[in-house]
Amino acid sequence: VMTIFIMTRYRRCPSNKVLVVYGNLGGGQTARCLHGGGTMVWPIIQDYAYLSLEPILVEVELPQALTRQNDRVNVRATLTVAISTQPDILQRAAERLLGLSEADIALTAREIITTQFRLVVATSSVDEIHQEPERLLELITKNVGYELNQIGLSVINVNIRDMTYGAGARPGQVPIQ
């Protein structure tokens, strides 16, 4: 009987997921996260759920984003995000994202990314964007990454698919390719 009890309460975690145990954990913990391996989940006082570590693609479109010089820029980008495996960030994911669907996580990430993307574009001039695209990608990764870390996500990749000058651009400007 004891062997069957232990076998039915032991939970394993595959490498592409995080096992989150919640309930009465002691020590004031809200959740215990385990990436790989396994742990006992005690009946009645604890329960468990999984968070997927699969990458999530987030499409972002910024029509008519203002630059530092009040020029309009149209930006289309794709960001790849995922739940972080760093312990402190993973704990935030367990507290904020557990129970949400991938679509809900993507929607939350899109809102954060859009806001931070606009801020990065607003701090850059059109010439800086055009002449130093690596700097723009670095700023986006840094700013977006920091904000996504607050909810438990991390940036894997940033891909600017299209960036053109919008209406109201200065004469002589050409689309950014």
Side-chain angles (χ1 to χ4, degrees):
V1 172
M2 187 59 127
T3 303
I4 293 172
F5 175 78
I6 290 173
M7 288 175 44
T8 60
R9 300 316 304 164
Y10 188 77
R11 300 292 176 228
R12 291 175 300 192
C13 182
S15 61
N16 67 335
K17 295 185 180 190
V18 173
L19 174 65
V20 180
V21 179
Y22 56 92
N24 187 357
L25 301 172
Q29 282 185 302
T30 58
R32 184 173 65 235
C33 301
L34 184 67
H35 178 224
T39 190
M40 290 294 294
V41 179
W42 298 106
I44 301 172
I45 61 171
Q46 294 178 342
D47 207 349
Y48 71 97
Y50 292 98
L51 284 172
S52 175
L53 295 176
E54 299 294 324
I56 301 169
L57 290 177
V58 180
E59 303 283 334
V60 178
E61 290 196 29
L62 295 178
Q64 305 294 313
L66 285 174
T67 65
R68 182 176 41 189
Q69 298 164 325
N70 289 330
D71 292 323
R72 302 275 181 185
V73 177
N74 300 313
V75 182
R76 288 185 5 193
T78 303
L79 282 84
T80 307
V81 301
I83 291 176
S84 178
T85 56
Q86 294 179 9
D88 57 332
I89 301 172
L90 182 56
Q91 186 69 30
R92 291 181 206 141
E95 293 170 359
R96 294 181 175 94
L97 303 176
L98 189 65
L100 294 180
S101 69
E102 184 178 314
D104 290 337
I105 293 171
L107 181 63
T108 302
R110 181 178 293 112
E111 294 298 321
I112 292 169
I113 291 167
T114 302
T115 302
Q116 292 304 310
F117 217 113
R118 281 193 186 280
L119 289 172
V120 169
V121 170
T123 61
S124 304
S125 70
V126 172
D127 294 332
E128 289 171 343
I129 293 170
H130 186 66
Q131 294 170 359
E132 302 175 41
E134 298 85 23
R135 179 183 166 274
L136 180 67
L137 287 174
E138 183 180 313
L139 284 172
I140 291 167
T141 302
K142 179 182 171 187
N143 290 5
V144 168
Y146 176 78
E147 291 300 322
L148 288 177
N149 285 174
Q150 301 307 307
I151 63 166
L153 297 173
S154 62
V155 175
I156 296 173
N157 185 35
V158 177
N159 183 13
I160 298 177
R161 295 182 322 195
D162 186 32
M163 186 177 294
T164 58
Y165 297 106
R170 293 178 296 195
Q173 289 181 333
V174 296
I176 299 171
Q177 298 298 330

